[in-house]
Amino acid sequence: MTGEWNSPWAVRAEEPKPGPASIDIEKAIRLTAIFAKMEASLEKSVESVFEGIALRIEYEELASDPVETIELIFGYLGLVAPETIALRYRKATSDRLSDDICNYAEFEAAVEAAGYSHFLEP
């Protein structure tokens, strides 16, 4: 695979992870507010359409074991998963935000002040 790849979430399977970085806290809070609003709207829509039969997959599940999660989705839909699930990319971050965000203490305080602490790691 050739070409420039610049994703904060995924790297090609053979690439090294980018490592810790500082983030724009104000931007992160603004985007979290948008995400929270959209997540609530999506959950309401899914519930009204599928009335409790939708399969909910958390990001942590998909990121920690994408093959198993994909197989779970196939099974939930009554389909047979392919024998091989080729993944061209892998998660670019660690499993702990505090390992990837250099200014995590400031970030954590701002997230808590904004009322979004439920999005932080326990």
Side-chain angles (χ1 to χ4, degrees):
M1 189 156 291
T2 61
E4 195 78 17
W5 176 254
N6 291 311
S7 170
W9 306 109
V11 293
R12 291 186 179 120
E14 70 280 355
E15 287 181 306
K17 293 183 177 189
S22 291
I23 64 168
D24 180 332
I25 294 171
E26 185 177 308
K27 182 178 180 181
I29 298 297
R30 181 177 54 78
L31 293 174
T32 300
I34 292 169
F35 173 82
K37 184 177 179 180
M38 294 175 89
E39 179 187 37
S41 177
L42 176 63
E43 286 178 355
K44 184 177 177 182
S45 295
V46 167
E47 184 55 36
S48 70
V49 172
F50 297 102
E51 300 176 5
I53 62 166
L55 175 64
R56 182 180 179 108
I57 306 282
E58 295 289 337
Y59 173 74
E60 291 86 359
E61 295 172 82
L62 180 60
S64 68
D65 196 340
V67 171
E68 182 179 308
T69 305
I70 292 167
E71 289 172 347
L72 172 72
I73 294 167
F74 270 87
Y76 187 80
L77 296 172
L79 302 172
V80 176
E83 261 185 52
T84 303
I85 298 174
L87 301 174
R88 297 167 79 181
Y89 304 97
R90 64 189 176 104
K91 186 177 173 215
T93 58
S94 69
D95 290 333
R96 296 180 49 83
L97 283 175
S98 57
D99 292 341
D100 292 316
I101 300 174
C102 294
N103 54 337
Y104 185 79
E106 295 169 75
F107 170 75
E108 181 179 39
V111 169
E112 288 177 358
Y116 298 121
S117 58
H118 59 283
F119 288 121
L120 295 173
E121 56 202 30

